[in-house]
């Protein structure tokens, strides 16, 4: 099958690869503006077929009654296949979202790690015997939901998709995965590897297409019992409203506007590096980016001066160049949005201390590049401090006392992450406890691990992924009482 721009890449329903009945779409490399090729679009009918394939596969005794250690063995084989094909997977992601190659390679390895982690959880996690309040045995069992819809964004498909699919399968579900229209290829290739690894067909289906069509059809499908979504807060809210209509469960990992706090007694060199990486790594396209910097007033001017110099020294360049530190934004549409938000900050009185424009380097003219940007002269209430940019844009603000700082840091709709730099541990502890966020880092930033729960307070989402009880997100508790 061919589209306007070459052959159309099919997606997976059960064991069948199909280009679908929906509109095919084009994947564009954001570093060059060139086409990566056409991808099949899943229509509502295709989505229904994928859900039915998942439902049938999940109901098979071969899967429902498979012993946990046998399920774990399949997950481990998927991890091996991902690892063996890590270079190719990293390349696929890099071509679609423009992330630095080194980061993509690391994420491929972390993706395999998620399958191994949930394999281990799957075969070691016990059911429970609850304290008895009578003449009976009270047990708590954990059952799969059935069909899980997994919907993912473009910034890190290698890790975000693995942590959803591995946990959902470990829990005994079947999955229909809808990757972002900007990054469809990793999901398609991992699904192929999963089949090679012996995952029974139908347990992992991938439907590619646009959010408003393919994604909406999946969210609205009556046989989808849990929607596990990572993406923007507005989309997450719309999904939660739709799911509420039929009492489908939701797990939502949404946006952030995380405070990054530097006290005057911090190790300044380390804090500087943490703040720089915390906001500009992944070109700022990270839900946990530390985008609101609060620096204690006595340190503020000197710290910001050094930060601006360090941001200007970052090497912006092609994702495949090992010397590059900041790659392009993930799409041209997204760069337009980031540019518009910097213009909005200027309108609101913000001073652009560095960046704020596309780079002048002619080598980068065809890509969706944008310079690391620092904005001063704004209050925490400014739109640029309250709205998620999801790009390389940092706002800097001084603070005087701890109580005021905590109030400002919490004065946001979001609650995903926070960083605190100080040598005074009791103070760090007080602040960590007072901050409304799913993750707080003390004297470090942006450290992630599959072994700890991840998710947000407030409008950053609901539910947790990863960690020992990440698997519970994909299960329902069932009480069984046995009378004596
Ligand atoms: P979006 O919310 O636009 O999209 C996320 C996914 O949802 C995509 O697959 C998208 O498809 C799909 N989608 C869009 N509309 C609908 C709909 N009506 N019904 C069902 N699915 C839909 O987010 P982005 O892709 O732009 O990702 C960036 C956002 O993700 C940021 O806000 C960021 O903070 C958040 N994020 C959160 C993380 C966390 O763990 N908390 C981690 C990473 C990112 P399509 O691509 O076709 O539009």
């Amino acid at each position: 099958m061919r589209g306007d721009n070459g052959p159309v890449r099919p997606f997976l329903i059960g064991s069948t690869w199909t280009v679908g009945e929906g509109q095919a779409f084009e994947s564009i490399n954001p570093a060059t503006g060139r086409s990566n090729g056409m991808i099949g679009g899943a229509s509502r009918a295709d989505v229904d077929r994928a859900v039915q394939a998942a439902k049938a596969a999940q109901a098979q005794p071969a899967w429902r009654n498979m012993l946990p250690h046998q399920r774990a063995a399949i997950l481990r084989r998927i991890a091996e296949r991902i690892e063996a094909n890590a270079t190719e997977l990293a390349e696929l992601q890099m071509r679609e979202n423009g992330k630095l190659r080194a980061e993509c390679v690391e994420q491929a390895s972390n993706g395999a790690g998620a399958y191994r982690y949930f394999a281990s959880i799957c075969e070691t996690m016990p059911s429970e015997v609850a304290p008895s309040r009578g003449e009976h045995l009270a047990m708590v069992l954990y059952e799969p939901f059935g069909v899980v819809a997994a919907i993912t964004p473009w910034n890190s498909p290698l890790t975000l998709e693995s942590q959803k699919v591995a946990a959902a399968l470990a829990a005994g579900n079947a999955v229909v995965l809808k990757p972002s229209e900007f990054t469809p290829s990793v999901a398609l290739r991992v699904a192929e590897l999963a089949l090679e690894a012996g995952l029974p067909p139908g347990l992992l289906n991938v439907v590619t297409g646009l959010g408003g069509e393919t994604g909406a059809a999946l969210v609205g499908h009556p046989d989808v019992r849990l929607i596990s979504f990572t993406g923007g807060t507005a989309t997450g809210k719309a999904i939660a409203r739709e799911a509420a209509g039929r009492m489908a469960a939701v797990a939502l990992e949404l946006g952030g506007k995380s405070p990054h706090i530097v006290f005057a007694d911090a190790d300044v060199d380390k804090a500087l590096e943490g703040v720089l990486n915390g906001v500009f790594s992944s070109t700022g396209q990270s839900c946990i980016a530390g985008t609101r910097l609060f620096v204690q007033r006595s340190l503020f001017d000197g710290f910001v001066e050094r930060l601006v110099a360090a941001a200007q020294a970052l090497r912006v360049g092609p994702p495949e160049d090992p010397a590059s530190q900041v790659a392009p934004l993930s799409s041209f549409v997204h760069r337009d949005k980031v540019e518009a938000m910097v213009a909005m900050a200027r309108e609101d009185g913000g001073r652009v201390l560095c960046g704020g424009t596309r780079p002048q380097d002619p080598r980068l003219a065809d890509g969706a590049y944008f310079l690391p940007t620092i904005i001063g002269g704004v209050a925490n209430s400014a739109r640029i401090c309250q709205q998620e940019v999801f790009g390389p844009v940092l706002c800097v603000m001084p603070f005087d006392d701890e109580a005021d700082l905590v109030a400002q840091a919490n004065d946001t709709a979001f609650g995903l992450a926070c960083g605190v730099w100080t040598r005074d541990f009791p103070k760090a502890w007080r602040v960590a406890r007072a901050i409304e966020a799913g993750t707080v880092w003390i004297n470090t930033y942006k450290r992630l691990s599959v072994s700890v729960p991840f998710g947000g307070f407030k409008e950053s989402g609901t539910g947790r992924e990863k960690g020992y009880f990440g698997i519970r997100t994909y299960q329902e508790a069932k009480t069984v009482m046995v009378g004596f």
Side-chain angles (χ1 to χ4, degrees):
M1 173 73 76
R2 291 182 71 82
D4 297 342
N5 233 331
V8 176
R9 177 145 197 204
F11 53 88
L12 180 65
I13 298 179
S15 56
T16 305
W17 293 92
T18 170
V19 294
E21 296 171 353
Q23 184 68 45
F25 59 97
E26 191 169 24
S27 159
I28 304 283
N29 184 333
T32 61
R34 287 197 284 274
S35 177
N36 289 317
M38 299 298 290
I39 312 284
S43 67
R44 187 167 287 276
D46 294 320
V47 168
D48 179 55
R49 280 190 277 275
V51 173
Q52 295 315 329
K55 194 175 170 186
Q58 203 273 333
Q60 284 293 318
W63 181 247
R64 275 198 81 83
N65 302 334
M66 186 181 277
L67 296 171
H69 70 281
Q70 296 167 332
R71 221 186 280 148
I74 297 177
L75 296 179
R76 287 204 181 89
R77 287 204 298 274
I78 298 176
E80 279 162 23
R81 301 294 299 142
I82 291 176
E83 232 153 37
N85 293 276
T87 309
E88 180 201 346
L89 287 166
E91 202 72 19
L92 287 175
Q93 177 172 286
M94 184 185 79
R95 284 213 311 257
E96 289 186 338
N97 71 2
K99 224 181 235 289
L100 293 174
R101 177 181 273 141
E103 194 181 347
C104 293
V105 169
E106 190 184 333
Q107 290 197 324
S109 163
N110 291 342
Y115 278 90
R116 287 216 173 83
Y117 180 81
F118 283 109
S120 301
I121 297 271
C122 172
E123 67 176 333
T124 56
M125 192 115 168
S127 297
E128 291 151 27
V129 176
S132 178
R133 296 177 75 99
E135 289 296 300
H136 54 253
L137 175 67
M139 291 179 291
V140 187
L141 309 182
Y142 294 91
E143 305 280 10
F145 276 88
V147 178
V148 170
I151 302 179
T152 49
W154 39 257
N155 61 333
S156 297
L158 278 166
T159 50
L160 298 178
E161 288 165 5
S162 294
Q163 75 201 35
K164 282 191 197 303
V165 174
L169 292 176
N173 299 285
V175 180
V176 181
L177 169 62
K178 206 289 292 172
S180 165
E181 68 189 87
F182 297 102
T183 51
S185 294
V186 166
L188 295 169
R189 184 69 180 119
V190 169
E192 197 172 22
L193 295 172
L195 288 177
E196 284 172 25
L199 183 73
L203 291 171
L204 175 56
N205 308 273
V206 179
V207 287
T208 46
L210 310 190
E213 294 162 23
T214 311
L218 187 56
V219 167
H221 198 291
D223 289 330
V224 167
R225 298 309 315 152
L226 165 68
I227 301 148
S228 173
F229 170 81
T230 299
T233 292
T235 318
K237 285 181 182 175
I239 287 174
R241 277 193 292 270
E242 172 76 26
R246 62 174 195 281
M247 283 295 161
V250 290
L252 305 171
E253 305 284 355
L254 309 176
K257 196 75 198 177
S258 298
H260 206 157
I261 299 160
V262 182
F263 282 97
D265 60 4
D267 179 329
V268 173
D269 290 346
K270 289 201 173 126
L272 199 89
E273 201 187 320
V275 168
L276 200 69
N277 288 330
V279 66
F280 296 130
S281 58
S282 308
T283 320
Q285 300 166 116
S286 163
C287 51
I288 49 173
T291 47
R292 289 182 299 141
L293 175 66
F294 295 95
V295 182
Q296 201 155 18
R297 195 174 298 276
S298 59
L299 189 67
F300 184 78
D301 289 342
F303 192 88
V304 170
E305 196 178 315
R306 284 184 63 189
L307 192 64
V308 166
Q312 285 170 327
L314 288 171
R315 288 185 300 275
V316 179
E320 64 278 3
D321 182 347
S324 300
Q325 293 171 296
V326 178
L329 287 161
S330 63
S331 67
F332 294 87
V333 184
H334 186 51
R335 181 179 59 185
D336 291 349
K337 185 190 146 203
V338 172
E339 260 173 350
M341 291 193 78
V342 171
M344 175 187 83
R346 283 195 173 102
E347 271 169 35
D348 289 352
R351 275 182 296 113
V352 174
L353 306 178
C354 65
T357 58
R358 302 173 187 192
Q360 298 301 309
D361 184 345
R363 272 188 326 148
L364 309 179
D366 291 337
Y369 291 89
F370 197 76
L371 290 175
T373 300
I374 299 181
I375 296 176
V378 281
N380 186 55
S381 54
R383 289 181 292 175
I384 195 69
C385 296
Q386 293 292 324
Q387 298 175 16
E388 186 179 43
V389 180
F390 218 61
V393 179
L394 173 70
C395 298
V396 293
M397 291 164 279
F399 71 91
D400 293 304
D401 72 283
E402 192 182 315
D404 175 51
L405 160 78
V406 168
Q408 286 199 67
N410 283 338
D411 185 12
T412 165
F414 298 105
L416 197 57
C418 170
V420 187
W421 295 84
T422 172
R423 288 192 172 93
D424 177 345
F425 191 74
K427 183 164 64 185
W429 184 250
R430 277 196 309 273
V431 173
R433 296 301 307 272
I435 292 292
E436 297 162 343
T439 299
V440 179
W441 289 286
I442 297 173
N443 294 332
T444 183
Y445 200 83
K446 224 176 170 184
R447 289 200 185 222
L448 293 169
S449 164
V450 71
S451 65
V452 289
F454 180 82
F457 285 26
K458 304 190 310 196
E459 294 195 11
S460 289
T462 176
R464 293 291 179 272
E465 289 196 292
K466 307 199 282 188
Y468 182 68
F469 59 76
I471 196 168
R472 297 294 190 226
T473 297
Y474 295 92
Q475 293 174 320
E476 301 225 68
K478 178 192 278 177
T479 297
V480 177
M481 298 270 223
V482 184
F484 292 146

